[in-house]
Amino acid sequence: MVGFGDSTMIQGETPQHQGRVVWLASFPKSGNTWMRAIITALRTHPHLFGVDQLSSGSQPNHVGMSLNAFGLDARWLTPAEIDTLRHALITHSGVIPELPDDQEFDDLAAVMERMSAPMFRKTHEVFRPGEPSIEPFPVEATRAAILIVRDPRDVTCSYAPFFGHSLEQAVESLAREGSETHANPALTQTAQPWGTWSTHAQSWLAPDVPFPVHLVRYEDLKTDPISTLLPVFNSVGLMCTEDELEAAIARTRFEKLQQAETERGFRETSPKTTQFFRSGKHGGWREELDERLVQRIEADHGEAMLQLAYPLENLESQLAPIRSARQSRRRQEQTAWKSLPPQLGLKVTVGPTPEELEGASHPRPWIQVTPDQALLTFNSGSRLLVSEGRKVQIDWEPDDSPSGDGDDPSWMLQGWAVTLSVLQRGMLSLHAASVRIGDSTVAIAGLRGAGKSTTAMGLRARGHSILCDDVTVIQFKDKSAWTTPYARNVHLLEDAATALGVDFDSLPRLSGGRPKVAFRPEDTEPDETKIDRIIVLAWAPPSTLIRVNHPAGVQRMNRLLAHTERDGIAPLVLGEDAYFTQVAKLADTVPITQITRPRGKWTLDHVLDLIENEAQK
Amino acid sequence: MVVGPSVSVDTEPWLLTFPGLGTATVAEDGTVTIDPEPGEGRELRSKALLNGWADLISWSRKGFSLIRGSCLVPSATSDSGLLLLGGDHELPEVEFPLLDRGWHLVSDKPTPVSETESGLIAHPRAAPLVAPKRYRKQHEWAATALRPDSNAFGFEVPRVHAPIDIRGICEVRTRRPNEVALENVTGLERFSIGAHLAIGGMLSPARDAREPDEAVAAHVRAASLPVCSLRIDPKTISTDVDSLLTWWDSVIQQ
């Protein structure tokens, strides 16, 4: 999307399309109703105009009109069929019919004018092309679209009371790909994707929208409605003079709409609010939003705001860490905490586990292991039982206290449950992050606190892909070691998050009082990938320099034992012989590089350079 | 290429077509034939074609008006007439509490009606009560999905299979802050509600080339009945329905 400083026509100067429908597209609470009031006032005798009789209120996702059009009760259709029906209904009313040859008209021009008059239809949906013949916005029925945009900071202030949200919840709603999107045949509604505030505007302003789109900024509508609307209305066939438009605008001034709503009510208002027409003020957000919320909105929508000529209050350097954390949060929200990627083949249930496993070994006080079961008891009292390599039972109660805000238990599943299950299936679990660097895959191993996650995130910041953090599942095939990547969170301490440009406070904290937060990187392809190199991170005294060495012979085996024994569980589950055989095989198969760094010094950039260099070998 | 529904009225019988769903014909006397697309789900497609489409066209061809409302009676043997529920809100939210209190369904929306000198008679339709799936958890009635991937379920509820006079109309909508649950509707608004209940287009009685005055007879007669506006809130639905029943008692005592 290019930048648009003013309300303007985006594509074409003359309507090329012969359909009747003019889409009034907007994100909710952006002035769509006001625009409809002006249009209704233009088309209605002054004595008959009423705020409760606005035309074009029926949104295209409502297909209940099929009773009138086809005598069809849409509740009996499948979601796919109501999509088809939606297209048919819009086409049915929006395509200008040809006049019959055998009929004569007294005033043909008047008939033609009536039949081709623009038909305005409100929509909050994102534009999407859709499948041929069932496009959600059929080209043959469409004349143009008018996209109404409004400063998202003001939208937030209007959105919150309308939907009964707090301002904070409204900020989240504007940034979340709509949850109000599901098809609802029982209520004769197709899906209605809103997108985020940004993606909504960007979808309508994309160059591939196949009809003219007129951009109208709410703020321009407030300051100069005549100059803003007159060319747009005349262009879409709503012919009016400046005087007529001025009169219509006078009848729909905000104070008048408010007064009418107070006196007679407004049927389109929300059950959550007493007043639909609230303030309509431009810049009212300055009195309502605190600095933190403004930063969040600008971090979420800064790019689109600048394109639509909404200046930002904050510098990019302030917004970038917040944006990174919020994007992570969005990705996390798309996955339930207890769901694991299907390629892992694990069934997760939530419920009570036994406190003891009969005949179990205790490699650590908090771990119990039998040949086919493992039970871990965490400091928080939560327990995790993994059985037969496939079944996972987690006994966890969310921390509802104020300090438990964002409490995230997914680390137990994404880390421990996967590790225990792969061991029970006879495979190794390397305590390492795996990262794709160019054509190579490297596993970055290290003891707790060695900096595996920080290093993986640093590589991500350089454009490489994190395949998986903390657990690298090892399988041997074709004389090589392979791993199965799976999407999971990266756990970061506050100093690492800050150094990596991630807003620590915006991310969910790990449960059980762990001082880390969960960052969700972008998902990667789940295809198995060959491991080309193992990097072992180690610490040395602060006075030393960074050292790189390539262990040989038995040293290779020694390095790997420390990162595969997994708190002593691996030899118990796999059996010592099988365990040592596999570690020896891994040592024999994959080259190892050890990078030793001085403790207490920030050497990340240097380490990343070294890893990139090693990956190319 | 036509992919959506179409109704061909140029030949007899009328031909209804929805590619992927099937075809149906409706003869002048209302006789219906159904021909669903073959393959898995054929039986459900057949029911959809019948209950969701051909049956409605059939009533219309037989000269009945169809109105956007559901009809219920207080009991199987009641002679007090029936209550018509209309409005844009989810009607099952009121239908189910009434059924839980012993009411019986005559027709889930839309309802065929015929006009008499003084009023309207609602006629029973065989289609089940259609409601979102979530009502299964709240009420005891047996229910099955109407179609694959759909949240619309058909509920088997107690019914009365006889034409009955409409005695009162209740428009259901969501309650806004500061509103009372129920209000008697008078004056022009009553006509507006009556008009909103009418289904025009394909099912309009005007298709039968009746005189305009005659065609709006159903609206006028609906508007002459007692009408209330029930503004509901899911949190207080039980007391909201209580207020409807109080209003209903006052109607049948008139």
Side-chain angles (χ1 to χ4, degrees), chain A residues 48-234:
Chain A
L48 297 176
F49 172 72
V51 69
D52 218 10
Q53 288 147 14
L54 303 188
S55 58
S56 64
S58 167
Q59 300 191 48
N61 66 310
H62 292 275
V63 294
M65 285 303 289
S66 60
L67 263 179
N68 281 331
F70 301 108
L72 174 63
D73 180 354
R75 298 177 302 172
W76 288 84
L77 301 181
T78 63
E81 286 163 356
I82 59 171
D83 282 341
T84 304
L85 180 63
R86 166 187 167 135
H87 180 277
L89 284 168
I90 295 168
T91 308
H92 184 75
S93 58
V95 172
I96 299 171
E98 288 179 15
L99 292 176
D101 294 336
D102 56 353
Q103 196 171 345
E104 288 189 4
F105 298 92
D106 294 338
D107 186 349
L108 185 61
V111 172
M112 289 298 292
E113 188 183 336
R114 200 165 50 244
M115 286 172 55
S116 61
M119 177 184 286
F120 291 92
R121 293 201 66 175
K122 165 185 172 176
T123 178
H124 290 316
E125 297 179 20
V126 290
F127 176 82
R128 65 269 186 217
E131 297 293 317
S133 303
I134 54 165
E135 300 94 338
F137 300 100
V139 179
E140 63 270 36
T142 297
R143 180 169 303 175
I146 299 173
L147 171 67
I148 309 152
V149 296
R150 185 184 186 190
D151 188 322
R153 293 162 295 199
D154 278 329
V155 171
T156 300
C157 298
S158 180
Y159 191 102
F162 184 80
F163 290 105
H165 290 342
S166 65
L167 288 168
E168 187 150 355
Q169 287 170 325
V171 171
E172 297 308 312
S173 293
L174 261 66
R176 191 176 291 132
E177 290 293 341
S179 54
E180 306 81 349
T181 63
H182 302 296
N184 190 340
L187 297 183
T188 61
Q189 291 177 23
T190 67
Q192 189 190 25
W194 287 358
T196 67
W197 181 88
S198 299
T199 58
H200 182 276
Q202 287 165 338
S203 74
W204 285 95
L205 295 173
D208 57 347
V209 177
F211 41 74
V213 178
H214 301 266
L215 173 64
V216 171
R217 293 166 83 252
Y218 179 87
E219 294 74 16
D220 297 336
L221 203 51
K222 289 286 286 185
T223 52
D224 189 359
I226 305 287
S227 303
T228 303
L229 289 180
L230 196 62
V232 174
F233 283 172
N234 286 339

Side-chain angles (χ1 to χ4, degrees), chain A residues 311-390:
Chain A
L312 307 185
E313 294 285 299
N314 295 277
L315 299 173
E316 175 59 20
S317 57
Q318 294 169 288
L319 300 177
I322 299 168
R323 182 180 305 121
S324 180
R326 290 177 62 72
Q327 287 171 345
S328 155
R329 233 190 152 114
R330 295 280 97 75
R331 290 189 287 269
Q332 245 164 309
E333 283 170 0
Q334 289 165 10
T335 316
W337 70 265
K338 65 172 186 174
S339 79
L340 287 169
Q343 68 266 30
L344 296 173
L346 290 174
K347 183 171 188 282
V348 179
T349 51
V350 181
T353 62
E355 292 181 17
E356 302 284 338
L357 288 183
E358 200 175 327
S361 305
H362 290 69
R364 299 279 187 282
W366 48 282
I367 302 173
Q368 301 176 54
V369 181
T370 70
D372 58 0
Q373 283 195 311
L375 178 67
L376 307 190
T377 304
F378 300 99
N379 287 341
S380 59
S382 299
R383 278 193 291 273
L384 180 73
L385 177 69
V386 181
S387 309
E388 300 159 11
R390 298 286 174 194

Side-chain angles (χ1 to χ4, degrees), chain A residues 592-609:
Chain A
I592 299 174
T593 301
Q594 176 160 313
I595 299 177
T596 309
R597 302 153 299 157
R599 190 183 284 278
K601 288 187 180 170
W602 186 255
T603 55
L604 182 63
D605 283 337
H606 192 170
V607 169
L608 299 182
D609 290 343

